[in-house]
């Protein structure tokens, strides 16, 4: 929480320096490594599908192609999101990360639909699959995806952009596992439908996680209050400060992952303002929220009693 100060209409602001970075930026190098691994697996699985005839392997390769595009978009989004603010874009391009998360979700839904379509076709008309080679390529994909998961594990808790990449790699790892299991079943029982069944499982694993990612990203775009911020609790803490008589126009939203923002009009008794001054009240507000909530940027408008009615009359 940055130190507050007052000017003009009595605003207290957090430090602008905290607005130029994003939660995903510190994981840029790990995303680059994950992208490299994904591209290698993609090439391997395309070759493997050609050699074995496995739809599950081809489905996973198609998913890898989409994930590679998603990871690339995540990296591009981080680049733009960390550009400094300008006179026209006062928060910079921080929302680029959220737009990337939405694009990733849309791509994942498209991949899921393709997998379902192809799997149903294969269930009706099973194809020959070379089980032994499919196992080899599936194990290679599983091992490589596991490395990517370890690289992105911590970042997915802090950034929707990184979480989108993490979910894609998770689906890839589960898809590789399904490929291996299906190939083993074909080798041991000769049941060729195991391959499209595995493909359907890959699709089922993609959809719920993708919906969660899309919902969270849309919440940010619609400026909903962060899920970990209890608005009633925030209101209670502000109203509990000595001299605070009322509170209105309280808003809490998120610019991008790890960058929550708060603004509020706080009604303070004239006696308190005269006794301690605006600066002291602003510091108390900042200290109160800083000790209970993790909010990057706060703006407070201090008003003496009756000021809200005065503003209402001006508006009309």
């Amino acid at each position: 929480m940055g130190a507050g100060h007052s000017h003009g209409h009595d605003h207290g602001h957090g430090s602008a320096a905290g607005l130029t970075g994003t939660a995903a930026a510190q994981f840029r190098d790990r995303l680059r490594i994950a992208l490299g691994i994904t591209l290698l697996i993609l090439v391997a699985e395309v070759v493997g599908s050609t050699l074995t005839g496995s739809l599950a392997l081809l489905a996973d390769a198609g998913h890898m192609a989409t994930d590679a595009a998603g990871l690339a978009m995540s990296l591009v989004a981080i680049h733009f999101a960390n550009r400094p603010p300008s006179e026209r874009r006062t928060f910079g391009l921080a929302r680029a990360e959220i737009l990337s998360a939405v694009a990733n979700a849309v791509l994942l839904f498209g991949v899921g639909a393709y997998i379902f379509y192809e799997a149903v076709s294969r269930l009706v008309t099973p194809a020959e699959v070379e089980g032994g080679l499919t196992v080899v390529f599936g194990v290679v994909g599983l091992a490589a995806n596991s490395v990517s998961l370890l690289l992105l594990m911590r970042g997915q808790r802090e950034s929707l952009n990184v979480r989108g990449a993490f979910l894609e790699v998770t689906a890839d790892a589960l898809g590789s596992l399904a490929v291996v299991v299906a190939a083993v079943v074909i080798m041991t029982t000769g049941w060729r439908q195991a391959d499209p069944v595995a493909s359907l499982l890959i699709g089922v694993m993609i959809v719920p996680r993708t919906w969660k990612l899309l919902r969270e990203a849309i919440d940010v775009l619609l400026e909903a209050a962060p899920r970990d911020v209890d608005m009633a609790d925030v209101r209670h803490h502000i109203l509990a400060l000595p001299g605070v008589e009322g509170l209105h126009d309280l808003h809490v939203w998120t610019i991008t992952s790890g960058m929550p923002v708060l603004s509020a009009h706080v009604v303070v008794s004239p006696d308190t303002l005269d006794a301690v001054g605006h600066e002291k009240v602003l510091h108390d507000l900042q200290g109160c929220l800083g000790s209970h909530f993790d909010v990057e940027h706060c703006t407070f408008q201090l008003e003496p009693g009756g000021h809200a009615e005065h503003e209402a009359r001006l508006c009309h």
Side-chain angles (χ1 to χ4, degrees):
M1 181 80 67
H5 63 275
S6 66
H7 61 84
H9 220 49
D10 298 317
H11 295 264
H13 299 269
S15 169
L19 300 175
T20 58
T22 61
Q26 59 184 309
F27 302 103
R28 183 187 288 111
D29 290 341
R30 296 189 177 201
L31 282 168
R32 286 171 177 161
I33 295 172
L35 175 58
I37 292 173
T38 301
L39 289 173
L40 288 175
I41 300 171
L42 166 62
V43 173
E45 289 191 337
V46 168
V47 173
S49 177
T50 302
L51 295 175
T52 65
S54 170
L55 172 64
L57 206 53
L58 181 60
D60 207 34
H63 189 202
M64 287 288 180
T66 305
D67 290 351
L71 287 166
M73 282 193 299
S74 295
L75 287 166
V76 171
I78 290 172
H79 169 73
F80 283 110
N82 283 276
R83 295 178 65 179
S86 66
E87 290 295 324
R88 182 173 176 80
R89 295 183 175 88
T90 56
F91 279 105
L93 296 172
R95 279 279 169 88
E97 290 191 81
I98 305 304
L99 295 176
S100 174
V102 172
N104 284 350
V106 172
L107 284 172
L108 281 168
F109 276 128
V111 169
Y114 169 76
I115 291 173
F116 281 127
Y117 173 79
E118 286 295 325
V120 170
S121 298
R122 288 285 188 101
L123 282 173
V124 175
T125 309
E128 290 289 340
V129 176
E130 175 55 52
L133 276 177
T134 302
V135 168
V136 172
F137 285 104
V139 168
V140 170
L142 180 60
N145 281 316
S146 298
V147 173
S148 295
L149 284 176
L150 291 174
L151 289 171
L152 301 177
M153 179 70 72
R154 187 165 66 92
Q156 63 94 20
R157 301 189 188 99
E158 302 179 26
S159 164
L160 278 180
N161 192 21
V162 178
R163 188 180 306 169
F166 178 82
L167 291 176
E168 289 170 340
V169 176
T170 298
D172 287 339
L174 294 173
S176 296
L177 179 61
V179 168
V180 172
V181 172
V184 170
V185 169
I186 292 172
M187 290 172 61
T188 56
T189 68
W191 188 52
R192 291 183 294 173
Q193 281 87 346
D195 186 63
V197 167
S199 303
L200 286 172
L201 288 175
I202 294 172
V204 169
M205 289 184 291
I206 292 172
V207 173
R209 293 176 176 84
T210 303
W211 172 247
K212 184 174 184 291
L213 172 67
L214 181 61
R215 185 181 61 194
E216 292 181 2
I218 288 176
D219 277 347
V220 173
L221 293 176
L222 294 178
E223 299 189 340
R227 292 179 179 273
D228 58 346
V229 173
D230 186 331
M231 294 293 287
D233 200 19
V234 172
R235 189 180 301 274
H236 170 75
H237 279 283
I238 293 176
L239 290 174
L241 287 174
V244 173
E245 296 181 338
L247 176 69
H248 62 97
D249 292 322
L250 172 63
H251 302 285
V252 184
W253 68 102
T254 304
I255 300 299
T256 189
S257 302
M259 195 184 291
V261 179
L262 179 147
S263 69
H265 290 212
V266 183
V267 181
V268 184
S269 70
D271 290 342
T272 299
L273 291 175
D274 292 339
V276 302
H278 292 70
E279 290 287 343
K280 176 64 165 60
V281 176
L282 286 170
H283 285 308
D284 288 346
L285 286 166
Q286 294 278 0
C288 171
L289 293 182
S291 61
H292 295 96
F293 308 98
D294 183 18
V295 181
E296 178 75 17
H297 184 74
C298 295
T299 301
F300 296 107
Q301 176 169 304
L302 303 186
E303 302 174 354
H307 184 74
E309 290 79 5
H310 171 68
E311 284 192 342
R313 287 195 298 272
L314 289 178
C315 291
H316 290 84

